[in-house]
Amino acid sequence: MSLYRINRQYRFITFAFLFAWFSIARADLTIEIDHSSDNAAPIAIVPFEWNDPNDAPPQNLAQIIGSDLYRSGKFRPIDDAKLPARPSKLEDINYPDWRALGADNMLIGSIKKNAQGNYDIEMRFVDILRQEQVIGKKWTNIPARLLRQVAHVISDMLYKELTGIRGAYNTKIAYVTLRKVDGKKQYSLEIADSDGYNAQPILKSSEPIMSPSWSPDGKKLAYVSFENGRSEIVLQSLDGKMRKIIAQFKGINGAPAWSPDGKQLALTLSKDGSADIYVMNMQTGKLRRLTRNLAIETESAWAPNGHSLFFNSDRRGKPQIFQVFLDTGEIRRISFVGSYNANPAASPDGRYVAMVNGGNSDTNGFKIGLLDLYTNDFRVITKTYLDESPSFSPNGEMILYAMNKNDKARLAVVSIDNSVTQVLSVKDGEVRAPSWGPYLDSE
């Protein structure tokens, strides 16, 4: 069976659901660095000073921050055993010792348990060559459950300082897992930190859950549910206060995608015969049909300016990526490398379109390809197997996608320069349909 046929069934309830997921456990995702860059810059992340000699801190902040930066492929934290000292204050730094390590920057800090049972954190990011602090910040009265989030915020600050690009560590991802419980399949739609920790289910079902899509404010998810025996598009708030069906038309209801301003939702419907792309006004529910073709038109993704959408169509015989402009209705093909291109995703800056690429004489199987809309350059950026569902990080530096390894569905993250790949797995099950959420606050 071709991947395209699988994707069609995966997206639409009207097609028989033939997935072979056999067991999935709901748990934090574990990360395995599949390959990383040899050119990563060394950086010193000193373990934070802790004020209780009789107990360990609830989170190792330095380790979380170091792992975040390492996963970017741009930085290589120096091994703890090679650190010449463990200063927590600027006056304790002996700069010649740290320059000898070859690192230009170092992070020092402290975490203290206060009288309320919460934690006070202080960090300083230091330019070793100039011998001066470039970032300093304190957090007070932080509960233990938020310590990982503080670590991710620090990672974002360091990434911005070092690259000029906002970090995306303090963000969330959504995905679907499947496992067998008492011999029956159980699907779970889960939300986790960008590094796979703090996984929380927001929906469990014995029926498939597909295509989660984040609202631009990060407060809601739209997804496809089969709970009522057919495909329906559901809107659910992450605070648990709202859940409603917004599309239950005759035939296919699939592939929801939020517009950048959150006012519209693109979706695939077959209520008028063929599967075509529609846009729903989220205030009125009014639909606008964007495509009219007997081919299957699906998997739409908004351009970041909200003026056009990319979508997958087999109107030329085999699946390729097209772009439809909302003001004129013009439709044009944009993918030309390989006989199969599907699952488009636009980068936040509008420069790239990621897609699943197959039938490419230069690669085997289905990989994630990246089309540069400025130059029309196309390159394959993954080496994994049966890749699908690419989703950009909100800063456009990484792509989250689903893949297959050892006959097991997993997630992976690849940098757009292909310098590092991470594999995210659940212990006893499989995981698919990833979607990287937006920034949760303004910079």
Side-chain angles (χ1 to χ4, degrees):
M1 180 181 292
S2 72
L3 181 61
Y4 183 55
R5 289 181 60 197
I6 293 174
N7 279 341
R8 290 168 66 183
Q9 290 161 339
Y10 186 68
R11 294 287 180 181
F12 307 139
I13 183 60
T14 51
F15 299 156
F17 191 75
L18 300 177
F19 280 81
W21 291 351
F22 297 106
S23 63
I24 278 187
R26 183 190 67 77
D28 288 343
L29 296 169
T30 58
I31 297 180
E32 167 193 349
I33 304 297
D34 199 53
H35 81 271
S36 60
S37 173
D38 295 331
N39 298 319
I43 185 170
I45 308 293
V46 180
F48 280 33
E49 183 184 60
W50 169 243
N51 66 341
D52 186 351
N54 300 315
D55 198 4
Q59 296 287 348
N60 187 333
L61 302 184
Q63 186 177 69
I64 296 168
I65 297 164
S67 296
D68 282 346
L69 296 178
Y70 180 64
R71 288 188 291 111
S72 74
K74 300 179 185 295
F75 306 103
R76 176 176 53 81
I78 296 172
D79 192 308
D80 281 3
K82 296 181 179 178
L83 299 179
R86 304 204 171 191
S88 61
K89 300 179 178 62
L90 292 175
E91 55 268 30
D92 294 335
I93 300 174
N94 185 358
Y95 287 99
D97 289 345
W98 294 92
R99 282 199 296 270
L101 291 176
D104 294 341
N105 299 94
M106 65 186 297
L107 174 70
I108 60 175
S110 63
I111 172 172
K112 299 178 181 178
K113 192 172 185 177
N114 62 26
Q116 292 76 39
N118 293 323
Y119 299 89
D120 300 331
I121 302 162
E122 181 176 346
M123 62 77 75
R124 298 180 187 275
F125 192 51
V126 179
D127 186 318
I128 295 174
L129 300 181
R130 290 187 292 171
Q131 301 187 24
E132 66 182 24
Q133 173 183 305
V134 291
I135 302 175
K137 191 170 178 63
K138 295 180 180 178
W139 290 263
T140 58
N141 211 29
I142 302 297
R145 62 182 175 80
L146 295 180
L147 289 176
R148 288 193 66 88
Q149 184 176 356
V150 172
H152 292 316
V153 169
I154 295 173
S155 299
D156 285 345
M157 296 168 67
L158 270 54
Y159 192 83
K160 176 67 179 295
E161 175 64 26
L162 294 169
T163 68
I165 300 170
R166 185 179 182 184
Y169 301 110
N170 186 31
T171 55
K172 300 287 186 180
I173 59 174
Y175 51 88
V176 176
T177 64
L178 175 63
R179 63 176 177 176
K180 277 199 169 180
V181 178
D182 298 329
K184 298 180 179 178
K185 291 180 179 178
Q186 183 180 76
Y187 298 85
S188 179
L189 175 58
E190 308 210 354
I191 305 295
D193 295 347
S194 66
D195 60 358
Y197 283 83
N198 293 327
Q200 299 291 330
I202 66 166
L203 174 68
K204 291 183 178 180
S205 173
S206 60
E207 300 298 330
I209 306 167
M210 300 176 181
S211 308
S213 175
W214 290 86
S215 63
D217 61 6
K219 296 180 179 178
K220 300 182 287 292
L221 280 175
Y223 56 87
V224 178
S225 169
F226 297 89
E227 291 168 279
N228 295 321
R230 56 188 299 267
S231 67
E232 297 170 332
I233 296 178
V234 177
L235 184 62
Q236 181 171 339
S237 64
L238 299 187
D239 62 7
K241 296 181 179 178
M242 182 275 293
R243 185 173 188 264
K244 63 180 180 181
I245 297 170
I246 58 172
Q248 52 183 167
F249 300 100
K250 176 183 177 182
I252 296 166
N253 299 270
W258 288 89
S259 64
D261 63 5
K263 295 180 180 179
Q264 301 179 90
L265 190 75
L267 56 166
T268 298
L269 303 175
S270 66
K271 65 184 188 63
D272 298 314
S274 59
D276 280 296
I277 306 297
Y278 292 72
V279 170
M280 174 182 287
N281 182 309
M282 294 303 287
Q283 185 171 13
T284 65
K286 185 178 180 181
L287 290 171
R288 176 186 175 188
R289 187 174 181 176
L290 297 183
T291 66
R292 295 176 183 273
N293 196 289
L294 293 178
I296 291 179
E297 322 259 59
T298 185
E299 300 171 346
S300 55
W302 289 82
N305 62 12
H307 296 164
S308 67
L309 294 98
F310 304 96
F311 65 97
N312 168 25
S313 172
D314 60 358
R315 59 173 62 194
R316 301 289 174 83
K318 293 185 178 180
Q320 294 293 342
I321 306 301
F322 293 78
Q323 184 177 15
V324 57
F325 294 85
L326 272 65
D327 54 350
T328 64
E330 177 193 359
I331 295 176
R332 67 184 183 189
R333 178 178 171 180
I334 66 163
S335 64
F336 295 94
V337 178
S339 61
Y340 177 100
N341 288 287
N343 284 168
S347 65
D349 64 1
R351 176 166 184 168
Y352 300 103
V353 174
M355 62 191 74
V356 176
N357 174 255
N360 186 337
S361 59
D362 294 332
T363 59
N364 295 320
F366 298 92
K367 313 293 185 185
I368 301 300
L370 199 62
L371 173 65
D372 188 332
L373 296 175
Y374 294 178
T375 65
N376 285 325
D377 174 63
F378 181 86
R379 54 193 168 94
V380 172
I381 61 171
T382 61
K383 299 177 181 178
T384 42
Y385 181 66
L386 285 178
D387 301 345
E388 61 183 39
S389 306
S391 176
F392 277 93
S393 61
N395 63 0
E397 293 284 284
M398 310 288 284
I399 295 175
L400 174 68
Y401 64 100
M403 46 80 83
N404 189 291
K405 185 176 183 180
N406 299 327
D407 294 324
K408 185 177 178 181
R410 307 167 193 253
L411 303 185
V413 180
V414 62
S415 57
I416 63 169
D417 62 1
N418 194 25
S419 63
V420 63
T421 300
Q422 313 147 40
V423 177
L424 294 81
S425 310
V426 289
K427 183 179 179 181
D428 299 318
E430 300 195 36
V431 54
R432 286 185 183 274
S435 180
W436 205 319
Y439 287 120
L440 300 177
D441 55 14
S442 58
E443 191 175 23

